[in-house]
């Protein structure tokens, strides 16, 4: 009997429950004081590509909106891939669960980021930032599971700590950036430990590709305005747009890093 459908549903329910809980908290207004950029003026992409007469009013940033489908496609690709790899599993498989949950996080993040771009609402901007943290934290949990096996307490502890760390954004203007930096460092360090425990060329390749994409994700987003000033091209396909591509590609390569059949990826 194939246990994949039940595992997929279980991981989906866990991700949705966590995401909805965070959304409820954010909707109370407790993060109202967090300084987050909202409004089209904070994006280098030319609104409506200069053709407001052709594009619908609800689509001011077409490229930065469309790019979020990448998160959904990457997530669904890995859900389907792991479903086929583990289709003969009859009991709870922690490795499959890690893949499914991570993939659902990617799918969910695509919709949240898309909503933020379309609506430019402060609550969605908060969730866009907040949801990023447990995605990186999942790499730490995944690494621990890969090395030492499944541990429910450790998983819950790291997730709660990760989600709670967004509270730093209330204490300092750069609180989120500080929390995110710690998450990225922890994820990279965890990946190094996993690689040292099982040195494989394909694993190392996926690791460096993920690191490269992570650097691109950070740098391209920071250079959004500067790139638009340097080239007409980046006023349409902006640094923010390319940073999103780098972002969902790092999710893809993270999955490759942990995939038990990397040569098929």
């Amino acid at each position: 009997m194939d246990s994949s459908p039940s595992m997929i549903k279980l991981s989906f329910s866990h991700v949705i429950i966590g995401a909805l809980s965070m959304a409820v908290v954010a909707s109370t207004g407790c993060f109202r004081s967090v300084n987050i950029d909202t409004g089209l003026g904070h994006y280098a992409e030319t609104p409506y590509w200069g053709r407001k007469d052709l594009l619908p009013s609800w689509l001011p940033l077409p490229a930065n909106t469309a790019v979020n489908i990448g998160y959904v496609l990457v997530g669904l690709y890995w859900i389907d891939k792991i479903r086929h790899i583990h289709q003969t599993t009859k009991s709870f498989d922690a490795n499959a669960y890690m893949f499914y949950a991570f993939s659902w996080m990617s799918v969910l993040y695509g919709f949240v980021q898309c909503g933020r771009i379309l609506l430019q609402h402060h609550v969605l901007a908060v969730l866009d930032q907040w949801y990023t943290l447990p995605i990186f934290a999942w790499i730490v949990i995944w690494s621990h599971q890969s090395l030492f096996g499944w541990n429910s307490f450790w998983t819950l502890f790291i997730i709660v700590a990760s989600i709670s760390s967004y509270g730093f954004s209330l204490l300092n203007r750069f609180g989120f950036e500080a929390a995110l930096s710690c998450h990225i460092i922890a994820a990279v360090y965890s990946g190094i430990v996993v690689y040292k425990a099982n040195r494989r060329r394909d694993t190392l390749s996926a690791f460096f590709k993920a690191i490269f994409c992570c650097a691109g994700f950070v740098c391209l987003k920071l250079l959004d305005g500067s790139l638009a000033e340097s080239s007409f091209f980046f006023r349409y396909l902006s640094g923010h747009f390319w940073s999103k591509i780098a972002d969902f590609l790092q999710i893809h390569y993270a999955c490759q890093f942990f995939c038990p059949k990397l040569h098929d990826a």
Side-chain angles (χ1 to χ4, degrees):
M1 178 180 178
D2 183 2
S3 66
S4 294
S6 60
M7 187 71 71
I8 292 173
K9 292 178 182 177
L10 177 66
S11 58
F12 175 77
S13 65
H14 288 172
V15 170
I16 287 297
I17 289 172
L20 289 178
S21 299
M22 294 165 71
V24 169
V25 173
S27 66
T28 64
C30 62
F31 294 114
R32 190 179 295 109
S33 62
V34 175
N35 184 28
I36 303 179
D37 294 335
T38 55
L40 301 183
H42 294 288
Y43 297 87
E45 181 180 354
T46 301
Y48 300 99
W49 282 22
R51 297 305 304 269
K52 194 172 183 179
D53 55 321
L54 296 179
L55 292 175
S57 60
W58 54 266
L59 190 62
L61 302 175
N64 276 310
T65 301
V67 73
N68 293 293
I69 191 65
Y71 293 97
V72 178
L73 294 178
V74 167
L76 294 179
Y77 167 79
W78 279 100
I79 288 172
D80 182 67
K81 182 177 181 65
I82 301 304
R83 181 177 64 85
H84 284 91
I85 292 176
H86 292 86
Q87 61 185 350
T88 58
T89 302
K90 297 181 180 181
S91 58
F92 178 77
D93 187 323
N95 194 41
Y97 175 82
M98 300 302 292
F99 271 102
Y100 290 140
F102 192 64
S103 298
W104 283 125
M105 290 180 192
S106 178
V107 172
L108 174 68
Y109 185 76
F111 285 107
V112 172
Q113 170 69 14
C114 185
R116 176 185 181 178
I117 295 294
L118 291 175
L119 301 178
Q120 293 298 317
H121 194 282
H122 187 270
V123 170
L124 286 173
V126 166
L127 292 175
D128 177 24
Q129 287 189 342
W130 201 3
Y131 285 161
T132 304
L133 300 180
I135 293 177
F136 278 102
W138 200 251
I139 299 299
V140 178
I141 296 170
W142 207 341
S143 298
H144 185 275
Q145 184 273 328
S146 177
L147 294 170
F148 307 109
W150 177 259
N151 187 311
S152 298
F153 174 79
W154 173 256
T155 300
L156 184 61
F157 174 79
I158 292 298
I159 284 296
V160 171
S162 172
I163 292 173
S164 300
S165 70
Y166 190 68
F168 286 117
S169 63
L170 295 171
L171 304 177
N172 187 279
R173 179 182 178 183
F174 300 104
F176 167 71
E177 287 76 8
L180 179 59
S181 297
C182 291
H183 278 70
I184 293 175
I185 293 171
V188 172
Y189 176 76
S190 298
I192 293 173
V193 173
V194 170
Y195 170 72
K196 286 184 175 180
N198 184 20
R199 297 173 183 268
R200 292 179 50 172
R201 182 176 299 178
D202 44 11
T203 302
L204 184 62
S205 175
F207 175 78
F208 278 119
K209 287 176 182 177
I211 294 297
F212 178 77
C213 289
C214 183
F217 159 64
V218 174
C219 295
L220 287 168
K221 191 170 184 178
L222 292 175
L223 295 173
D224 191 33
S226 299
L227 290 172
E229 293 175 0
S230 67
S231 172
F232 186 77
F233 172 80
F234 289 108
R235 297 176 189 174
Y236 294 92
L237 299 179
S238 65
H240 186 275
F241 168 85
W242 294 108
S243 77
K244 295 290 102 178
I245 293 179
D247 193 19
F248 64 68
L249 282 178
Q250 73 172 320
I251 293 175
H252 172 68
Y253 290 126
C255 288
Q256 278 195 348
F257 179 77
F258 287 104
C259 187
K261 294 186 177 181
L262 286 168
H263 58 276
D264 293 330

